């Protein structure tokens, strides 16, 4: 499978988001706009044959710290290395723009994401259970 990565638009992200079965509540334009307003943002989209199939979205916390907020790959495109390619491109962009670290949060139930972060030298810096006890939120940090 051949793909390419480009800086993308919110419409592509929303299209992908709505095809992710693990997301009970896909993000809306209003949620995205509220969180990203006034921030330096990087939205990467992976496309196969011109179709958006994956994304990685993050933003500057300040001049030195970047927060990798959201990401997803449509199920039928998983396992091809797209998520790794998006992570690698995000790190390259962050280094080129002077960021010193990237923070990420994930959930224990997203095991493939956890494994990818650990494999790429992201370190667990915090972990806490959800209030309902169904899962745990895990905080990662990577120094660039």
């Amino acid at each position: 499978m051949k793909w390419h990565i480009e800086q993308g638009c919110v419409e592509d992200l929303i299209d992908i988001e709505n095809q992710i079965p693990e997301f009970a509540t896909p993000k809306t334009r209003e949620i995205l706009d509220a969180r990203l307003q006034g921030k330096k943002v990087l939205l990467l989209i992976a496309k196969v044959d011109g179709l958006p199939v994956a994304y990685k979205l993050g933003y500057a916390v300040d001049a030195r710290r970047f927060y990798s907020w959201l990401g997803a790959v449509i199920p039928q495109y998983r396992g091809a290395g797209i998520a790794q390619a998006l992570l690698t491109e995000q790190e390259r962009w962050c280094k080129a723009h002077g960021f010193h670290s990237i923070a990420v949060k994930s959930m224990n139930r997203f095991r493939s994401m956890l494994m990818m972060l650990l494999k790429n030298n992201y370190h667990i810096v915090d972990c806490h259970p959800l209030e309902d006890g169904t899962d745990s939120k895990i905080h990662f940090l990577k120094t660039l």
Side-chain angles (χ1 to χ4, degrees), residues 104 108 114 117-118 121-128 137-142:
V104 183
N108 199 44
L114 302 178
L117 291 169
L118 291 169
N121 298 312
Y122 285 75
H123 299 279
I124 296 171
V125 294
D126 196 12
C127 179
H128 60 274
K137 186 167 277 194
I138 303 169
H139 301 241
F140 292 85
L141 184 69
K142 180 173 185 174

Side-chain angles (χ1 to χ4, degrees), residues 78 107-118:
R78 293 177 185 169
M107 304 295 286
N108 199 44
R109 71 177 176 264
F110 299 132
R111 301 219 188 266
S112 59
M113 179 66 171
L114 302 178
M115 298 304 294
M116 184 176 70
L117 291 169
L118 291 169

Side-chain angles (χ1 to χ4, degrees), residues 1-99:
M1 174 185 324
K2 189 162 172 61
W3 69 84
H4 76 277
I5 295 172
E6 60 187 52
Q7 291 196 25
C9 63
V10 171
E11 289 76 19
D12 286 343
L13 181 154
I14 291 171
D15 181 50
I16 296 162
E17 185 88 1
N18 286 317
Q19 297 179 64
I20 305 300
E22 296 88 347
F23 294 168
T25 310
K27 299 292 185 273
T28 63
R29 175 173 278 289
E30 294 75 25
I31 291 168
L32 295 165
D33 288 347
R35 173 72 74 97
L36 301 174
Q37 186 174 17
K39 293 181 171 72
K40 183 175 188 169
V41 174
L42 175 64
L43 171 54
L44 298 172
I45 302 287
K47 293 185 175 182
V48 173
D49 297 327
L51 297 172
V53 300
Y55 75 87
K56 193 146 189 70
L57 173 66
Y59 56 86
V61 175
D62 57 39
R64 297 173 54 94
R65 297 179 301 149
F66 189 84
Y67 178 60
S68 183
W69 180 31
L70 300 171
V73 179
I74 295 172
Q76 59 265 38
Y77 296 95
R78 293 177 185 169
I82 297 172
Q84 178 64 56
L86 287 165
L87 182 140
T88 299
E89 177 58 20
Q90 182 181 69
E91 288 181 2
R92 186 207 61 74
W93 185 91
C94 286
K95 286 178 190 174
H97 286 82
F99 292 99

